[in-house]
Amino acid sequence: MNIIHRRGWEIPDRFITPEHLAFSRRSLLAGAASTLALAPGAASAQRVTDVAKLPDPSADLYPAKRNEKYTLDRPITDEKVNGNYNNFYEFGTAKTIAAAAQVLAIRPWTLKIDGMVEKPMEVGIDDLIRKLTLEERTYRHRCVEAWGMAIAWTGFPFAKLVELARPLGSAQYVRMETFMDPKMAPGQRQPWYPWPYVEGVTMGEATNELAFLVTGAYGHPLARQHGAPLRLALPWKYGFKSIKSIVRFSFTDKRPKGMWEALQPSEYGFWANVNPQVPHPRWSQASEEIIGTGERKPTLLFNGYSEYVADLYKGLDSERLWA
Ligand SMILES: Nc1nc2c(c(=O)[nH]1)N[C@H]1C(S)=C(S)[C@@H](COP(=O)(O)O)O[C@H]1N2
Ligand SMILES: [Mo]
């Protein structure tokens, strides 16, 4: 079984890594191989030094100009704190995966854009980044596990990628996929997760001005543990929607099923909008722990972004919008 790290706040110990614990039974059935698979060996340590010392070819684009429109009601989380408290199951189920994630090979990195588009294409991450103008935005981030942070992301609007992709009128959703490389990512050797990590949004959500494709944070290229070289930030939704290390965008008329939804649909759904009044089946969402300060703050509807996104959900009352 995986080790549960104690956190000093009010969620009982047994709920500390709830996204994981939803499947503890499955993991138990699969046996003790899980812990062994995650132990870093000498070979992987060698790869860490090889991969992590390569210069980032996009480094000259940072820091990007801050877009002052998106303001925060709290200080930006310290970079060291943020960079050492991550959720990236490809590299382990604990929050301390930063060291393990340094084996992630972020170049070359090719994005596939396919499905209901005028012409499917493949584009290298550096070609893409240099076609667009990067900007910095400060956003709140709220995990479904009832904790929050604030981050200075660098990236570009998702709408710009949609424009480039030229979707057909029939496209209703964008399905996104994370890399698949079990040799590199020990978590992907745990067969009870339906890898690769998948997430999806509606076209309306993808083109909402808040939907942000992230290439950097804290004024430099994105650290591997945050999902380099390209991840999503959807600040009004629970964090599991913000898929990391994306390799594929597929335009489709079928609602995509995310990895968490595939595993536990009663707890993790398609919409996953933040709402203090709708508890997770196993804990309250009324307040959140601010990572780094230990403070507790009341959860905000849509994580405080109602003015930007509430209209997206008008007339969808029959949908399970909040989980
Ligand atoms: N590919 C992938 N993307 C992912 C995850 C993951 O395990 N794998 N975890 C999600 C969850 S639950 C959260 S809270 C955020 C965490 O992002 P951070 O570590 O940069 O704070 O990433 C999301 N994206
Ligand atoms: Mo999360």
Side-chain angles (χ1 to χ4, degrees), residues 308-321:
Y308 297 99
V309 298
D311 283 352
L312 288 171
Y313 306 103
K314 291 232 167 87
L316 290 177
D317 305 325
S318 61
E319 296 275 345
R320 203 165 55 112
L321 292 172

Side-chain angles (χ1 to χ4, degrees), residues 134-284:
L134 299 184
E135 63 181 67
E136 185 175 79
R137 295 187 181 188
T138 59
Y139 273 178
R140 288 183 288 277
H141 170 75
R142 172 61 156 79
C143 176
V144 72
E145 296 169 348
W147 53 263
M149 297 203 205
I151 303 143
W153 296 125
T154 304
F156 56 89
F158 199 156
K160 293 282 177 199
L161 184 124
V162 172
E163 206 177 290
L164 197 96
R166 301 215 253 147
L168 304 177
S170 48
Q172 294 174 45
Y173 301 95
V174 189
R175 178 187 182 279
M176 290 154 282
E177 225 176 74
T178 296
F179 71 86
M180 181 65 186
D181 187 349
K183 279 208 185 79
M184 179 173 72
Q188 292 185 332
R189 289 177 228 143
Q190 301 187 308
W192 52 92
Y193 296 105
W195 305 110
Y197 200 101
V198 167
E199 262 308 335
V201 292
T202 64
M203 291 294 288
E205 291 173 329
T207 53
N208 181 274
E209 68 168 272
L210 284 184
F212 200 51
L213 283 166
V214 170
T215 60
Y218 296 98
H220 52 73
L222 198 58
R224 288 171 171 79
Q225 63 267 34
H226 287 302
L230 187 72
R231 61 91 54 87
L232 183 58
L234 300 170
W236 72 99
K237 291 181 181 285
Y238 292 118
F240 68 88
K241 297 293 297 182
S242 291
I243 181 172
K244 295 179 164 181
S245 304
I246 304 168
V247 294
R248 187 174 177 191
F249 296 86
S250 305
F251 291 78
T252 169
D253 59 1
K254 286 189 197 64
R255 184 175 293 184
K257 190 169 275 181
M259 190 182 85
W260 289 109
E261 186 182 3
L263 276 166
Q264 194 73 332
S266 63
E267 302 192 358
Y268 309 104
F270 172 75
W271 300 100
N273 295 309
V274 176
N275 188 333
Q277 294 184 332
V278 180
H280 183 278
R282 290 181 286 130
W283 61 88
S284 165

